Amino acid sequence: MVKRLLAASAFALGLSAFAQTQIEFWTYYLSPNFDNYIKGTIADFEKENPTIKVRWVDKQDTMERDLTAAVALGRAPDVVNLWQDSTFAAAQNRILTPITQLVNRNVLNQLYYPNVLDIFVTEGQVYGLPWYGWLDQGVMMYNPDLLQRAGVDVRTIRNTDDLLAASEKIKKATGAYGWLPPVKDPNGASFLGRFFLEGLPVYDKDGKAAFNSPAHIALLQKYVDAMKNDAIPQELLRKEAFQLSNELYSQGKAAIVVGAPTTLNRVKEANPDLYARTRIAPAPLGKAGIQTGGAMSLVVPRASKNQSAAIRFALFVTSRTNQVKFANVVPIVSTAAGSENDPGLRARSNDPLEIGKGMNSASGRLINPGFKPPKNTDDIYKNFNDNIEAAFLGRKSAKQALDDAVAFWNANAK
């Protein structure tokens, strides 16, 4: 199916007969770790397209500055690997060719998950082909012994409410914690993510903060009660959930970790016996049925002199075949449609990390970029976190904490 779509799009672009063409391909921080994969993919493309040669350049911290300079000097690369935000900025600055001027949107919708394509849409046009993605929630990793001692059947843990309920049972029965949700991670405003994942709005229709409705207050209160009852540890107010989860899980003091499967590398080092017993399941989702995450893109600069060859190469690199190959090198999330059923992402052994990687890489259909951060982010997020902490410590009611956070947000997000 994918090959037929690629062939159709290539035909539509008039690519049936190329003269010898060289295109320049820029990536972002992929060398030297992924030299073999990138060089192998280029070799495969050149074998299928003998009249096109690809020159690969890996950029690092100078990527955006170098791209702007190259465009200004008339020496633009032909295919460039950008972050979500830098894709949007480059599109706004009119230095990219809309992908939908090169490939029909209906074709793109069949090649990639539409939810990921939408990340790269501005002014009604797609400006980037989705490449490798990531998920914040990932998969659920659990200690079956602790669940069994608590009488918890993992098959009953279908959503985040189930996770909290299971955590209460596990703590009462075993003394170990269950799930450690992010409530006040230092690098952001993690509890806002809880609202978003449960389908509760962060903003109203006018773009004002609006996370103090009765539903928002009830959700915060649910987590406040869980901490008050010691179903989740108060230490989450002082330490990042990811770090604390790793520590306690490896010590047998937590039963569940929800996150990237690479978390298990630390468990494998710290407690090989527990690692071997660890089991993997899909991450329980909130009511919105999504995972926050994102993707890198491949874009074609407007100044490229080889746009037909460029889009042909970009489609090849981001095809499902090549994204699945990449996912078997490093646990990226494939953004190519149909990856959830691709046999290349199935675990080849019972190793927990291999199972987790395959499950994670096949979950691109769940990627959602989340909510747009406010201006004056640092001050606003600090105030939000201070209010969340006040609620968890009983210094403010959940309602007062959210009312105060909303008021500060709307007064300072200028």
Side-chain angles (χ1 to χ4, degrees):
M1 177 64 172
V2 170
K3 287 186 176 179
R4 290 201 301 272
L5 288 166
L6 289 174
S9 60
F11 179 78
L13 291 164
L15 300 174
S16 56
F18 272 108
Q20 187 70 44
T21 301
Q22 177 168 292
I23 60 174
E24 189 160 290
F25 173 41
W26 286 12
T27 58
Y28 183 62
Y29 274 108
L30 293 184
S31 183
N33 290 346
F34 307 109
D35 283 9
N36 289 341
Y37 171 75
I38 298 295
K39 289 177 180 178
T41 303
I42 290 172
D44 290 343
F45 175 79
E46 290 178 343
K47 185 176 180 180
E48 288 190 17
N49 301 272
T51 59
I52 307 175
K53 298 297 176 186
V54 180
R55 179 175 179 264
W56 175 37
V57 179
D58 188 67
K59 295 285 181 176
Q60 302 198 352
D61 58 356
T62 63
M63 163 68 91
E64 294 180 48
R65 184 167 67 249
D66 289 353
L67 177 59
T68 301
V71 168
L73 292 170
R75 297 199 295 266
D78 301 287
V79 179
V80 182
N81 169 206
L82 294 178
W83 282 93
Q84 295 174 185
D85 291 349
S86 52
T87 302
F88 180 77
Q92 291 290 94
N93 290 331
R94 308 297 181 192
I95 67 172
L96 302 182
T97 297
I99 298 296
T100 32
Q101 288 184 8
L102 303 173
V103 183
N104 185 277
R105 177 68 194 255
N106 290 332
V107 172
L108 295 176
N109 284 341
Q110 295 176 70
L111 293 174
Y112 309 95
Y113 293 117
N115 55 298
V116 188
L117 270 174
D118 286 343
I119 295 172
F120 303 109
V121 171
T122 185
E123 297 179 354
Q125 299 272 16
V126 177
Y127 278 87
L129 292 181
W131 196 11
Y132 56 96
W134 64 88
L135 292 166
D136 296 329
Q137 287 70 46
V139 298
M140 181 170 73
M141 300 152 275
Y142 64 95
N143 180 332
D145 301 335
L146 287 175
L147 265 64
Q148 184 177 22
R149 284 172 54 194
V152 173
D153 184 342
V154 71
R155 292 172 297 183
T156 66
I157 305 177
R158 299 175 301 273
N159 54 49
T160 47
D161 284 346
D162 296 335
L163 265 178
L164 279 177
S167 296
E168 290 181 7
K169 291 184 69 174
I170 291 165
K171 189 65 168 63
K172 287 178 182 177
T174 71
Y177 289 104
W179 169 53
L180 279 65
V183 296
K184 189 182 170 260
D185 285 355
N187 300 315
S190 26
F191 205 86
L192 279 173
R194 300 257 58 86
F195 295 143
F196 187 80
L197 293 169
E198 295 298 335
L200 298 176
V202 173
Y203 301 107
D204 65 16
K205 60 183 178 59
D206 298 317
K208 295 287 189 179
F211 47 80
N212 58 340
S213 74
H216 292 84
I217 294 164
L219 182 66
L220 175 56
Q221 188 63 52
K222 184 185 299 184
Y223 283 82
V224 168
D225 290 343
M227 187 173 287
K228 183 178 179 180
N229 296 329
D230 200 32
I232 60 176
Q234 194 176 105
E235 198 173 355
L236 285 169
L237 298 175
R238 297 181 293 275
K239 189 173 285 189
E240 187 175 5
F242 168 79
Q243 180 184 355
L244 188 59
S245 293
N246 268 279
E247 291 174 6
L248 296 185
Y249 186 84
S250 295
Q251 296 165 16
K253 296 178 180 178
I256 296 169
V257 177
V258 176
T262 48
T263 295
L264 290 174
N265 284 318
R266 299 187 184 191
V267 179
K268 190 175 185 179
E269 292 175 6
N271 192 335
D273 291 339
L274 176 57
Y275 171 80
R277 299 196 305 275
T278 294
R279 297 292 177 263
I280 312 295
L285 303 179
K287 292 181 176 61
I290 59 174
Q291 292 210 43
T292 51
M296 303 292 278
S297 72
L298 290 187
V299 302
V300 177
R302 192 182 296 273
S304 164
K305 299 178 176 63
N306 305 295
Q307 296 204 3
S308 292
I311 192 62
R312 187 180 185 101
F313 176 68
L315 287 165
F316 183 86
V317 172
T318 57
S319 68
R320 191 171 92 193
T321 296
N322 284 309
Q323 291 207 51
V324 168
K325 287 181 181 177
F326 201 8
N328 280 282
V329 175
V330 60
I332 57 102
V333 177
S334 174
T335 60
S339 295
E340 67 273 21
N341 298 314
D342 197 297
L345 295 178
R346 292 176 191 154
R348 296 174 177 80
S349 73
N350 291 324
D351 181 80
L353 187 53
E354 292 305 308
I355 295 170
K357 284 179 179 177
M359 194 177 293
N360 189 67
S361 294
S363 298
R365 68 196 182 283
L366 301 174
I367 290 176
N368 188 292
F371 57 89
K372 186 178 179 181
K375 295 179 180 178
N376 198 17
T377 306
D378 290 346
D379 289 343
I380 287 173
Y381 280 0
K382 181 183 184 304
N383 177 270
F384 177 85
N385 283 334
D386 288 347
N387 276 292
I388 290 296
E389 180 175 296
F392 275 104
L393 295 177
R395 295 172 185 158
K396 291 184 180 182
S397 68
K399 181 179 188 308
Q400 189 64 60
L402 293 182
D403 284 346
D404 290 350
V406 165
F408 185 90
W409 186 307
N410 288 332
N412 290 275
K414 305 298 185 183

